[in-house]
Amino acid sequence: MTIKECAEFLRLRDDYLILTHRKPDGDTLGSAAALALGLRSVGKRAVILENPEITPRYAALFGGLGIFGASDGGGKTIVAVDTASPKLFPDNAKKLGAIAALAIDHHPSNTRYAENLCLDSNAAACGELVFAVLNELGADVGAETATAIYIAVATDTGCFSYGNTTADSFRIASETARLGADVAELNRVLFRAKSKSKIALEGYIYSNIVYSHGGRAAVLTIPAEILARTAEDDLENIAAIPASAEGVIIGITLRELADEIRVSVRTAPGCDANVFSGRFGGGGHAQAAGFSIKQPLADAQSRIAEAVDGLFGK
Amino acid sequence: MTIKECAEFLRLRDDYLILTHRKPDGDTLGSAAALALGLRSVGKRAVILENPEITPRYAALFGGLGIFGASDGGGKTIVAVDTASPKLFPDNAKKLGAIAALAIDHHPSNTRYAENLCLDSNAAACGELVFAVLNELGADVGAETATAIYIAVATDTGCFSYGNTTADSFRIASETARLGADVAELNRVLFRAKSKSKIALEGYIYSNIVYSHGGRAAVLTIPAEILARTAEDDLENIAAIPASAEGVIIGITLRELADEIRVSVRTAPGCDANVFSGRFGGGGHAQAAGFSIKQPLADAQSRIAEAVDGLFGK
């Protein structure tokens, strides 16, 4: 489905229920908020299904817009944003996600679970697609909508520093700034201000990256006891850190959760994170992907080490 | 002088010698490189005076363009970029700076030392002004020139994260990306890639910030043995880290050098770093200043702690 077709689809329907993915980030929430506000600006009813995993930082940014609600079970048009697979919905959205009429996404690994799919894997953020769709739809993009789009694009590009950042990402940021997004304040909240707990976490992270294979692989393990004293907000974007070390081709971050090990993979061009993660049943993008793996931690570590051996030789 | 007048000035003259400031950053070098290349594209002779303080990273980015040279003492049109005061020129440029025909700058503190001044203090980077001037001049902005402009804007905005970032900064970044600046690679080199020694240093820093006075003061001490295994490049911008913690009003970084303790002070608005540093014989700006203090480290620490008590009460 092209941007034009997607806008046409939205023009013809009403009563939108918008779904976000679990562990909601700035892109899924910003995309959903912009879509809800934009649809309302053209006279549609639109609400975002409450996401039980929203963090305080994002609740502060999006909570006051009056766009979140529970599902009333009525005949809604269900739209999922930034969600590659039905597995990625939070529990309260799983049934609804399975009958989604439309997914707007930028993950090449999208499983095509929705009836219709508007996908552009060249977009740095799903919010870039939502912005294009809203413009095509003739939506009124005011300061709140522009802010939501800015948050989506800025967070998914690591404040325009990641390899996915394009001329379009910058163009959209420029337009949202002109439309009223308070870039200075948003950047302060999203990127510059660090909680003391985040600083303590970074102290742990930067001291505990383990390099191997001639410095080409970097593995970071965050054990349960560190996670226990870390706020969820503080964990955003930490997966980029091991791969940021000079010479590293693949950076792998393991988080020891209660029931599983959550693994994030970041790679340099030439090494496919999506393929690597696919071997463990996960996926994502070529340079950023992830998967979950069973406890215990030591087994997970050695299975991953074997897979890294497979990339570089032992 | 407006952008238009500045372009007209450049159109009427020739034989440009471009000056950059000491401790050259991405903005002064990117502005100079773009100006030299853009002037050459319209048939002018233009060269940048060699800057003896250029760092290896910037030498790698700009050194291959064939735009640096020594002064031949001839009748040049001297243009200074991003340099607020003649004090800020490196030694080999001081005499030439005093007879500059034009300064292009974005510092409100520019002392108006040059015969003509094209100043816009709303620009996040001097490179934004150079880009506007080159467009006005009808210069051919190819990939190399676009790259220089991108480096100027991206570095002076902290990769678009600082409070100075505007819609124009993003627009110019978007245009330079379209014109051939390899944003992904430039961001990797400028912002994402960290040497393994820098990562180790950050592990130390983030683990050793000491908060006091209800979290309003943050003090970081980098002892001689840590400095001994750290490259000078890795120390760039570390003084900002203690003050980046939420709630911190004053962040103080002590480096234990061989002969003295070098102290950097960063403050939130409302707390004057210049005044604080002045008490120790130093100075700087309201939010960023510094001073040196005698060995031994323990004495320096306790004198500084007393001064912090003076700010907040014991």
Side-chain angles (χ1 to χ4, degrees):
Chain A
M1 200 176 237
T2 63
I3 296 293
K4 217 180 170 81
E5 289 164 346
C6 183
E8 190 58 21
F9 177 96
L10 294 169
R11 189 176 287 125
L12 293 174
R13 287 163 185 77
D14 204 342
D15 276 312
Y16 292 98
L17 181 67
I18 303 167
L19 307 184
T20 54
H21 62 69
R22 66 184 233 236
K23 297 204 173 273
D25 58 11
D27 192 18
T28 196
L29 292 167
S31 294
L35 186 60
L37 294 167
L39 285 168
R40 288 179 181 185
S41 81
V42 294
K44 304 291 186 183
R45 285 176 296 276
V47 72
I48 304 168
L49 184 69
E50 279 165 358
N51 190 318
E53 298 184 11
I54 191 168
T55 59
R57 181 210 267 165
Y58 286 124
L61 285 165
F62 294 112
L65 298 173
I67 48 176
F68 287 91
S71 172
D72 59 9
K76 303 287 188 185
T77 308
I78 296 167
V79 182
V81 289
D82 193 42
T83 307
S85 146
K87 286 189 306 186
L88 299 175
F89 290 113
D91 286 342
N92 66 333
K94 282 212 156 67
K95 278 188 183 163
L96 295 160
I99 54 165
L102 171 66
I104 305 175
D105 194 14
H106 70 129
H107 295 94
S109 57
N110 189 291
T111 64
R112 306 187 168 262
Y113 58 88
E115 208 179 315
N116 295 280
L117 173 63
C118 177
L119 177 89
D120 180 358
S121 59
N122 293 316
C126 182
E128 297 185 13
L129 301 179
V130 171
F131 188 61
V133 168
L134 293 183
N135 286 328
E136 185 67 37
L137 194 61
D140 176 23
V141 178
E144 287 177 344
T145 310
T147 297
I149 296 288
Y150 182 82
I151 292 169
V153 178
T155 55
D156 249 30
T157 56
C159 200
F160 308 93
S161 76
Y162 297 162
N164 60 354
T165 309
T166 68
D168 271 339
S169 314
F170 285 124
R171 176 184 54 78
I172 293 167
S174 178
E175 291 180 27
T176 58
R178 273 188 217 290
L179 289 163
D182 184 349
V183 166
E185 174 60 11
L186 290 169
N187 282 350
R188 192 188 64 76
V189 171
L190 295 170
F191 305 110
R192 293 209 315 281
K194 288 185 183 187
S195 65
K196 284 160 186 155
S197 67
K198 167 96 179 180
I199 284 180
L201 175 69
E202 292 196 351
Y204 179 85
I205 289 172
Y206 285 113
S207 305
N208 285 279
I209 297 171
V210 179
Y211 304 101
S212 67
H213 300 84
R216 288 175 293 172
V219 177
L220 167 68
T221 300
I222 309 180
E225 71 262 25
I226 298 288
L227 287 175
R229 53 174 199 253
T230 302
E232 190 58 40
D233 270 346
D234 294 338
L235 293 166
E236 198 171 339
N237 289 343
I238 59 153
I241 296 176
S244 72
E246 232 160 41
V248 170
I249 307 293
I250 186 166
I252 302 172
T253 303
L254 290 79
R255 299 186 208 175
E256 187 189 14
L257 306 184
D259 48 346
E260 62 182 15
I261 315 295
R262 183 83 46 84
V263 184
S264 300
V265 181
R266 298 291 182 274
T267 56
C271 180
D272 195 318
N274 187 36
V275 168
F276 186 90
S277 299
R279 298 178 52 177
F280 295 93
H285 304 279
Q287 261 64 73
F291 57 92
S292 290
I293 186 170
K294 272 191 308 191
Q295 299 268 19
L297 184 57
D299 288 0
Q301 287 172 316
S302 70
R303 284 188 59 198
I304 289 166
E306 275 169 36
V308 175
D309 287 343
L311 287 179
F312 299 116
K314 190 134 186 174
Chain B
M1 201 177 239
T2 63
I3 296 293
K4 219 181 168 79
E5 289 164 347
C6 183
E8 190 57 24
F9 176 96
L10 293 170
R11 189 176 288 125
L12 293 174
R13 287 162 185 77
D14 204 342
D15 276 313
Y16 292 98
L17 181 67
I18 303 168
L19 307 183
T20 54
H21 63 69
R22 63 183 229 239
K23 289 194 180 283
D25 58 11
D27 192 18
T28 197
L29 292 168
S31 294
L35 186 59
L37 294 167
L39 284 168
R40 289 180 181 185
S41 80
V42 295
K44 304 290 186 184
R45 284 177 296 277
V47 73
I48 304 169
L49 184 69
E50 278 165 359
N51 190 318
E53 298 185 11
I54 192 167
T55 59
R57 182 213 265 166
Y58 286 124
L61 285 165
F62 294 112
L65 298 173
I67 49 177
F68 287 92
S71 173
D72 58 8
K76 302 287 186 185
T77 308
I78 296 168
V79 182
V81 289
D82 193 42
T83 307
S85 147
K87 286 188 306 187
L88 299 175
F89 290 114
D91 285 343
N92 66 333
K94 283 212 156 67
K95 278 188 182 160
L96 295 160
I99 54 165
L102 171 67
I104 305 175
D105 194 13
H106 69 129
H107 295 96
S109 57
N110 189 291
T111 64
R112 304 185 169 262
Y113 58 89
E115 207 179 313
N116 295 281
L117 173 63
C118 177
L119 177 88
D120 180 358
S121 59
N122 293 316
C126 182
E128 297 185 13
L129 302 178
V130 171
F131 187 62
V133 168
L134 293 183
N135 285 329
E136 185 66 37
L137 193 60
D140 176 22
V141 179
E144 288 177 343
T145 310
T147 298
I149 296 289
Y150 182 82
I151 291 169
V153 177
T155 55
D156 248 30
T157 56
C159 199
F160 308 93
S161 75
Y162 297 161
N164 60 353
T165 310
T166 67
D168 271 341
S169 315
F170 285 123
R171 175 184 55 77
I172 293 166
S174 178
E175 291 180 27
T176 58
R178 272 187 218 291
L179 290 163
D182 184 349
V183 165
E185 174 60 11
L186 290 168
N187 282 349
R188 192 188 64 74
V189 171
L190 295 169
F191 305 110
R192 293 208 319 282
K194 288 184 182 185
S195 64
K196 284 160 187 157
S197 67
K198 168 97 179 180
I199 284 181
L201 175 69
E202 292 196 352
Y204 179 85
I205 289 173
Y206 284 114
S207 306
N208 285 280
I209 296 171
V210 179
Y211 304 101
S212 66
H213 301 83
R216 288 174 293 172
V219 177
L220 166 68
T221 301
I222 309 180
E225 71 261 26
I226 299 287
L227 287 176
R229 53 174 197 253
T230 302
E232 187 61 36
D233 262 357
D234 294 338
L235 294 166
E236 205 179 316
N237 290 339
I238 60 153
I241 296 176
S244 72
E246 233 160 40
V248 169
I249 307 294
I250 186 166
I252 303 171
T253 303
L254 291 79
R255 298 186 210 175
E256 188 189 13
L257 305 185
D259 49 347
E260 61 182 15
I261 315 294
R262 183 82 47 84
V263 185
S264 300
V265 181
R266 297 291 182 273
T267 56
C271 179
D272 196 319
N274 186 38
V275 169
F276 185 91
S277 299
R279 299 178 52 177
F280 294 93
H285 305 279
Q287 261 64 71
F291 57 92
S292 290
I293 187 170
K294 274 191 305 191
Q295 300 267 19
L297 183 58
D299 288 359
Q301 286 172 318
S302 70
R303 284 186 60 198
I304 289 167
E306 275 170 34
V308 175
D309 287 343
L311 288 179
F312 298 116
K314 191 138 186 171

